Amino acid sequence: MPEKKSFIKVGIIYAIGQVLSKAISFILLPIYTRQLGTVGYGQLSLADTVLDFINTFVILSIYSGYIRFYREYKGEERNKLRNTAINFALILTIIDLIILMIFGRTIANIIFSFNNSYKIFALIIIRSLLSQFVILLMCDYNLNYEAVITVTINLVMLIMNLILSIYFVVYKKQGIIGVYSGYILSILMVLIYLVMVNVRNFKFEIDKKMLKYMLTFSGGLLPCNVSGTILTLADRYFLAGYRNYSEIGIYSVGYKFGMLIQPLFVDPFKSIFTPYKFQIWKDDDASVKFNDMYKKYHFFGCLIIIFIALYSRIIISIFTTKDYMDAYKIIMLILFSYFLYGENEFYSLGIQIKNKTYLTGIIMLLGGMINIILNVILIPKFGMYGAAVATLISYLSINIINSTFSVPLYKVKYDFTTTLINYLIVIGIYGGYYLLTLINKNLIIEFFYNILFIFIYIYLCLKFKLVKKDDLVRYIKLVKMKILSIKSRTM
């Protein structure tokens, strides 16, 4: 693991990369919302959730097992582990394509109820396969903390997708098919590059013992991944059944903003924490290190939650049409849901370290069942608001169950009192903001009083000693220095 300064530097690079990535992807939002309308955007959202579900199965998330056992091997043995994962994925790809050709039309007609369902389903499968191989071939960069390479590749892929989407959706008027065509071509070009870079180390070899280890780990995560997809897929299907595609479109815009917590904070955090936790869990002071990361996760994560929640209404007004404005009302619920889900990186330590990932699957299945039950109860009466509440309660339930099963396997005493105070501050600030939105309709005035709310959060965190003033100043300086260094290199 890099020294502390490098550790922070890597995190900043990932965070900047995610911000730039989201900035590029958000340029697509006005294109999709205006070109597709609320109905078409709702259908696209449904297609994307099916994509998330399929991603779990196409190559069985073999890269998860590769990440888990990467540090267990060195030199040629590590290369053999990589080749085993790649070759297994290639075999599954052939099987997937055969299944698509034989059963694709039947499956597509069951899943979708709109035109060109088979063609869209085929594009979903192809996009899923290509993106999973990109993830697999980029594992080494993440595992070795090569953040600059990872961020650069992702940005190039997004820029190409932006250009292709404008061509297919705006110029060619191809709708959802154009959206997926743009994704596929951009991913394919990146995949070709990664294959060329890695081909010299490739060999057709499969080590049965290594494959067993990886599949035991990644296979144990399958129920978890399936349940996680159910948590995001079920609400769309119930909204389609009880309401309409237009409400799905509005809900999806709010969901998209709510999920910003993942690329802006949770994903960069996981990019560092995932290899870090497998490296330090045996240390004598591991508990102290984990608890320190836990506190940082909550302070900075809640800061970003407040920022997104307070400014989402303004951004929605800029990037979409007035038909989507109600989306801001569910954003805080979705933000908290995915922030709570990110907490499982801490609560699942025992399960992952002891290689009992099947427990995670059981926990996620329980969460998925809770989500379905809540959707059935809440969506008919409350629509998208009920769906958002169901998501929040489901992820909270998962955290409670996860900590019950996992913590006894690897005990770390976390400071829950500090976390609770942090949450109460966030809820209080957002409550004040929401009440003001009911009175004030001027977005310019809203922009400025939101700044005051952010400073209130920081002040209260300092007041209640949720963060040290010296630490906060140091992090601000590091971020500022990193941004300035990136500017100087690009000029």
Side-chain angles (χ1 to χ4, degrees):
M1 178 63 201
E3 61 184 41
K4 189 171 183 180
K5 186 176 180 181
S6 298
F7 180 88
I8 297 170
K9 179 181 177 182
V10 170
I12 292 171
I13 294 172
Y14 276 124
I16 292 173
Q18 292 289 355
V19 170
L20 293 174
S21 297
K22 275 298 163 185
I24 295 171
S25 66
F26 259 80
I27 297 175
L28 293 170
L29 185 60
I31 295 174
Y32 293 161
T33 54
R34 287 175 169 81
Q35 293 292 323
L36 302 178
T38 55
V39 173
Y41 192 74
Q43 292 176 337
L44 175 62
S45 175
L46 195 61
D48 286 343
T49 52
V50 171
L51 170 70
D52 291 338
F53 184 79
I54 289 171
N55 281 340
T56 302
F57 296 100
V58 288
I59 62 171
L60 298 180
S61 301
I62 192 67
Y63 53 82
S64 298
Y66 177 64
I67 291 171
R68 169 62 183 89
F69 293 100
Y70 179 85
R71 300 290 178 189
E72 306 292 327
Y73 301 97
K74 294 182 179 180
E76 287 300 316
E77 288 297 297
R78 182 177 288 177
N79 196 52
K80 184 185 290 186
L81 181 75
R82 183 189 304 110
N83 285 331
T84 298
I86 292 172
N87 288 315
F88 177 75
L90 286 170
I91 292 170
L92 283 187
T93 296
I94 295 171
I95 296 173
D96 292 334
L97 292 175
I98 292 172
I99 293 173
L100 174 63
M101 288 186 287
I102 298 174
F103 302 107
R105 291 187 183 277
T106 302
I107 296 172
N109 290 330
I110 293 172
I111 295 174
F112 300 122
S113 60
F114 39 84
N115 295 330
N116 297 321
S117 59
Y118 174 65
K119 189 170 184 180
I120 292 171
F121 183 66
L123 291 173
I124 289 172
I125 295 291
I126 294 169
R127 177 185 169 185
S128 177
L129 287 168
L130 293 176
S131 62
Q132 294 290 291
F133 269 100
V134 168
I135 293 172
L136 179 56
L137 293 177
M138 288 182 65
C139 280
D140 282 32
Y141 299 131
N142 287 318
L143 287 164
N144 291 293
Y145 307 102
E146 297 182 67
V148 174
I149 296 175
T150 302
V151 168
T152 301
I153 290 174
N154 285 328
L155 286 176
V156 169
M157 186 162 56
L158 277 169
I159 291 170
M160 289 190 295
N161 179 51
L162 171 63
I163 295 169
L164 291 168
S165 292
I166 292 173
Y167 174 75
F168 286 119
V169 178
V170 178
Y171 179 70
K172 300 292 287 186
K173 305 290 184 182
Q174 292 184 0
I176 298 175
I177 291 175
V179 172
Y180 271 81
S181 297
Y183 276 119
I184 288 171
L185 287 175
S186 58
I187 296 169
L188 180 61
M189 285 186 276
V190 169
L191 180 60
I192 291 172
Y193 166 76
L194 290 172
V195 169
M196 292 173 62
V197 170
N198 289 277
V199 70
R200 64 180 180 276
N201 296 318
F202 177 75
K203 186 187 300 183
F204 190 81
E205 57 182 344
I206 295 180
D207 186 289
K208 293 181 180 179
K209 187 177 180 181
M210 290 179 175
L211 181 59
K212 181 181 177 181
Y213 287 153
M214 288 189 288
L215 285 178
T216 299
F217 186 86
S218 62
L221 293 174
L222 282 179
C224 169
N225 294 334
V226 170
S227 302
T229 306
I230 289 174
L231 286 166
T232 57
L233 180 64
D235 50 11
R236 268 64 162 203
Y237 268 101
F238 282 112
L239 281 171
Y242 289 115
R243 296 301 177 107
N244 50 61
Y245 284 123
S246 181
E247 187 159 351
I248 295 176
I250 298 168
Y251 178 75
S252 297
V253 168
Y255 211 96
K256 186 179 183 69
F257 277 87
M259 288 186 70
L260 279 174
I261 190 64
Q262 283 193 301
L264 296 184
F265 180 73
V266 176
D267 288 345
F269 178 85
K270 287 170 66 175
S271 297
I272 298 170
F273 189 62
T274 299
Y276 179 61
K277 65 185 177 184
F278 290 126
Q279 190 168 346
I280 61 99
W281 70 274
K282 293 181 182 180
D283 294 352
D284 294 335
D285 61 344
S287 182
V288 176
K289 292 177 180 176
F290 283 131
N291 202 49
D292 181 60
M293 293 289 284
Y294 186 75
K295 290 179 181 179
K296 289 181 173 64
Y297 178 86
H298 284 87
F299 170 73
F300 289 106
C302 287
L303 177 61
I304 293 173
I305 283 175
I306 290 175
F307 185 85
I308 296 171
L310 298 189
Y311 284 99
S312 59
R313 190 164 78 138
I314 296 173
I315 299 173
I316 288 173
S317 69
I318 296 171
F319 282 90
T320 67
T321 65
K322 63 181 181 179
D323 296 330
Y324 296 90
M325 284 305 296
D326 280 346
Y328 89 93
K329 296 178 181 178
I330 67 165
I331 289 173
M332 177 55 102
L333 295 171
I334 304 302
L335 282 167
F336 246 117
S337 298
Y338 281 89
F339 181 75
L340 290 175
Y341 187 54
E343 281 184 344
N344 280 294
E345 287 296 308
F346 295 97
Y347 301 143
S348 63
L349 275 170
I351 288 174
Q352 293 183 348
I353 288 170
K354 300 297 182 180
N355 294 324
K356 295 187 177 183
T357 49
Y358 65 90
L359 290 175
T360 302
I362 295 172
I363 293 167
M364 291 299 293
L365 281 172
L366 290 172
M369 291 171 61
I370 292 170
N371 184 256
I372 291 173
I373 293 170
L374 290 173
N375 278 322
V376 171
I377 295 171
L378 297 175
I379 288 179
K381 188 173 182 179
F382 301 104
M384 67 179 187
Y385 305 107
V389 171
T391 301
L392 178 62
I393 296 174
S394 299
Y395 281 125
L396 179 60
S397 301
I398 288 170
N399 277 12
I400 294 170
I401 301 170
N402 209 349
S403 59
T404 302
F405 279 91
S406 186
V407 171
L409 297 174
Y410 185 81
K411 294 184 179 180
V412 178
K413 188 177 181 180
Y414 294 116
D415 189 351
F416 293 114
T417 301
T418 299
T419 302
L420 179 59
I421 295 172
N422 212 328
Y423 286 165
L424 290 175
I425 292 172
V426 172
I427 293 170
I429 288 173
Y430 185 75
Y433 160 78
Y434 187 77
L435 289 174
L436 281 175
T437 63
L438 301 178
I439 302 170
N440 171 63
K441 302 300 179 182
N442 189 310
L443 296 179
I444 296 176
I445 295 174
E446 181 176 322
F447 177 88
F448 287 104
Y449 67 63
N450 283 346
I451 297 174
L452 177 61
F453 278 125
I454 292 171
F455 278 108
I456 290 173
Y457 170 75
I458 296 173
Y459 170 77
L460 290 175
C461 285
L462 290 169
K463 180 78 173 177
F464 287 99
K465 299 180 180 180
L466 306 183
V467 65
K468 295 178 181 178
K469 184 178 180 180
D470 292 341
D471 288 342
L472 183 60
V473 171
R474 185 171 70 254
Y475 294 137
I476 292 172
K477 286 181 178 179
L478 283 170
V479 171
K480 183 178 179 180
M481 289 172 60
K482 190 60 191 176
I483 293 172
L484 290 174
S485 66
I486 292 173
K487 275 187 177 181
S488 63
R489 287 200 297 267
T490 56
M491 290 179 66

